[in-house]
Amino acid sequence: YYFPCQRWLAVEEDDGQIVRELVPVDEAFVKKDSENDGQSLATLGLEQKAKSTTYTVKVKTGDKKNAGTDANVFITLYGSKDDTGIVSLKASKINKNKFERGKVDEFTVESVDIGDLKKIKIGHDNKGNSTGWFLEWVEIDAPSLGQCLKFPCGRWLDKSEDDGAVERIIFPAELQTTEYIPFVPYEITVYTSDIFGAGTDADVFIVLYGSDGICTQQKSLCLNKREQRMYFERNSVNQFIVELEDVGDIIEKIRIGHKGGGLNSGWHLDRVAIRRLLPNGK
C-alpha cells in the first residue's frame, strides 16, 4: 500500500492540522508517477487531497464570565459511513487566542468521506490554567454534501460546573440546517510564463463560469502568504485541488487574477488547465 501525503502537519502551515487521514493510491498511479519523478511526489499528494473532504468548523464560545478555555480542544465528526477520528482544533483562522469569551473561531478539518453528518463529539483535555469552557454552538459547513449544520450546546464543559463533563456528544438542529448545491473538486493547473519578472507573490484567485450563467465563488488558490511566495514562480507549473460549486460539464470561461500588493505582484500567465474530478477519480 502506498500512502502519499506531501502536506504540512503544522499548526502554522497549510490548513493548520497536525494529524492527517491518508488513503492508498492505486499501483498504476504510483508507476505512472515513478516515470516522471519531477512532478511525482506533488501529484501524488494532490491525488490524496482529491480523495478527501474538507469541512469548515466554526465554534462559538459563550459570553459568560470565565467562559473561555486555555485547554486543548478536540472534535470528532461522525457520519453515516465513518468518523474522522479525534481532530485537535489547533489553528483558528480568525483569532490568535482561540476559545475566548464571546468569540467565534474557525477551523479546517479534512477527512476521507464519512457520509452524511450525524453527530459530533467535542471536548478538551482539562489542561492549563483556565480549563472550564462554556460552548455555545458548533457550525459545520460540508461543501461536498451541500450542507451547513448547526450543533447547539449552551452548556459548560467544566469539571466544577453543570454535570462535570469535559466532552459532549451533540446532534444537529434540523431546523437550522442550510442546504445548497454540493461542491466538487477541480484540479487546476497554472502555467507561469518563462520571461523576465513573470512570477508573482500576490494572492491569485479564480472563478469558473458554466453555461446558463452559473459561476463559482471567487477562490484564492493559496492558503497563506508562504504559499504565495512559493508558487507562481517564473516558468513554473503549479497544481491545486479546489472544492468549488459544480458548474456542469462545460466551462465556458474563467476569471483569474490577483489582488496586487507586495513587492512582486506583476504576473505573466501562460495558460490554465482545469479538470473536474468525478467521484470515481476520473
Side-chain angles (χ1 to χ4, degrees):
Y1 294 88
Y2 194 85
F3 297 85
C5 183
Q6 291 299 303
R7 304 274 304 277
W8 283 97
L9 284 78
V11 172
E12 68 282 358
E13 299 285 1
D14 202 333
D15 58 6
Q17 289 302 319
I18 56 172
V19 177
R20 297 202 179 282
E21 281 193 1
L22 304 178
V23 292
V25 299
D26 59 52
E27 189 180 14
F29 196 92
V30 176
K31 284 183 176 174
K32 181 183 81 176
D33 268 64
S34 63
E35 295 162 9
N36 177 23
D37 282 338
Q39 277 291 102
S40 64
L41 290 173
T43 309
L44 283 169
L46 285 170
E47 174 81 355
Q48 183 71 254
K49 189 171 182 180
K51 292 182 178 181
S52 298
T53 300
T54 302
Y55 302 92
T56 298
V57 178
K58 290 184 177 177
V59 180
K60 171 70 185 292
T61 299
D63 191 8
K64 291 176 175 283
K65 186 179 179 183
N66 300 323
T69 185
D70 296 330
N72 297 302
V73 174
F74 59 83
I75 192 169
T76 304
L77 280 53
Y78 295 88
S80 54
K81 299 179 186 174
D82 202 351
D83 64 71
T84 60
I86 295 172
V87 178
S88 295
L89 299 181
K90 290 279 190 185
S92 172
K93 290 183 167 183
I94 302 174
N95 305 305
K96 190 172 182 181
N97 292 326
K98 54 193 184 293
F99 310 122
E100 295 288 307
R101 173 179 174 174
K103 296 289 180 67
V104 175
D105 290 287
E106 184 179 313
F107 304 88
T108 300
V109 172
E110 208 172 82
S111 166
V112 295
D113 180 19
I114 61 171
D116 294 332
L117 270 173
K118 297 297 184 184
K119 63 181 179 181
I120 63 171
K121 180 161 72 174
I122 188 165
H124 61 78
D125 62 3
N126 205 43
K127 292 180 179 174
N129 295 324
S130 177
T131 57
W133 185 35
F134 190 89
L135 172 62
E136 197 71 60
W137 49 255
V138 177
E139 183 183 275
I140 299 178
D141 190 7
S144 64
L145 299 175
Q147 282 188 331
C148 185
L149 299 99
K150 196 75 163 275
F151 295 79
C153 181
R155 294 182 70 179
W156 286 98
L157 283 77
D158 189 338
K159 291 266 189 188
S160 57
E161 296 279 356
D162 203 332
D163 60 359
V166 294
E167 63 179 48
R168 299 199 181 279
I169 290 174
I170 315 173
F171 295 88
E174 286 186 25
L175 294 176
Q176 291 181 277
T177 298
T178 307
E179 308 245 351
Y180 56 90
I181 297 170
F183 283 26
V184 296
Y186 288 89
E187 178 189 271
I188 299 173
T189 309
V190 180
Y191 299 81
T192 299
S193 304
D194 186 15
I195 63 173
F196 180 74
T200 184
D201 292 336
D203 184 4
V204 173
F205 61 80
I206 195 166
V207 182
L208 313 185
Y209 293 84
S211 53
D212 302 324
I214 300 171
C215 72
T216 69
Q217 62 182 269
Q218 180 172 301
K219 181 78 170 181
S220 291
L221 294 178
C222 293
L223 291 167
N224 52 44
K225 284 189 162 51
R226 190 189 66 83
E227 288 193 358
Q228 290 173 30
R229 291 192 296 271
M230 269 177 53
Y231 300 139
F232 312 118
E233 296 294 300
R234 173 181 174 174
N235 195 30
S236 67
V237 180
N238 301 118
Q239 240 178 9
F240 306 88
I241 302 292
V242 181
E243 282 183 308
L244 290 167
E245 295 91 338
D246 190 350
V247 297
D249 293 334
I250 297 169
I251 299 176
E252 294 200 335
K253 65 177 181 179
I254 67 170
R255 182 168 170 263
I256 188 166
H258 61 76
K259 298 176 181 176
L263 296 172
N264 305 300
S265 62
W267 184 34
H268 199 285
L269 172 63
D270 183 59
R271 66 191 190 276
V272 180
I274 298 177
R275 194 162 63 105
R276 186 173 65 152
L277 301 172
L278 300 175
N280 59 4
K282 301 296 184 192

